[in-house]
Amino acid sequence: MSLRLTCHYPSGTTMITVAGDVDATTSTDLASYIEQTRRQPGDHLVLDLSGMPFLDSAGLSVLLTAHTFTREHGGTVHLAALQPAPARMLHITGIDAHIPVHATVADALAALDVT
């Protein structure tokens, strides 16, 4: 499955919708897209992962890099609507203890107090 990425900006937040597998062949596409669509380094970033059925270690690295960069600039990264396999990967690696994970995009935006 090819990677499809879309972006919009609810109330100063960069929200990226990811559809497709994020693996060694597509992770650089996601990393580049995050860099290109972010308006300010400290903008909060919400990733809607409802359309992402698979995530490997290369994809995890992209999420951690985005989290570290955003946090260093005063923002946060929130992950939303994970499918079971990526959610399990985040849990097994302990990343879900560092990057907030929400059941829905609405929950992620509410955590940022964005309407």
Side-chain angles (χ1 to χ4, degrees):
M1 173 183 260
S2 65
L3 190 63
R4 292 179 314 283
L5 304 164
T6 57
C7 181
H8 69 283
Y9 303 95
S11 300
T13 298
T14 301
M15 188 165 94
I16 298 173
T17 301
V18 180
D21 295 340
V22 178
D23 57 25
T25 61
T26 61
S27 61
T28 56
D29 295 336
L30 177 57
S32 295
Y33 194 80
I34 290 170
E35 288 177 26
Q36 292 168 8
T37 58
R38 187 189 319 251
R39 293 185 294 188
Q40 299 292 325
D43 278 356
H44 296 296
L45 175 63
V46 173
L47 295 170
D48 174 0
L49 304 178
S50 60
M52 184 188 72
F54 179 79
L55 176 72
D56 74 359
S57 60
L60 286 175
S61 178
V62 170
L63 297 180
L64 286 171
T65 299
H67 167 70
T68 301
F69 179 86
T70 303
R71 194 171 71 177
E72 287 173 353
H73 289 88
T76 57
V77 173
H78 293 256
L79 308 178
L82 275 80
Q83 291 191 25
R88 186 169 188 270
M89 174 72 96
L90 290 171
H91 182 69
I92 288 170
T93 58
I95 292 171
D96 60 351
H98 301 282
I99 302 175
V101 176
H102 305 275
T104 67
V105 170
D107 290 345
L109 294 173
L112 294 170
D113 197 24
V114 175
T115 55

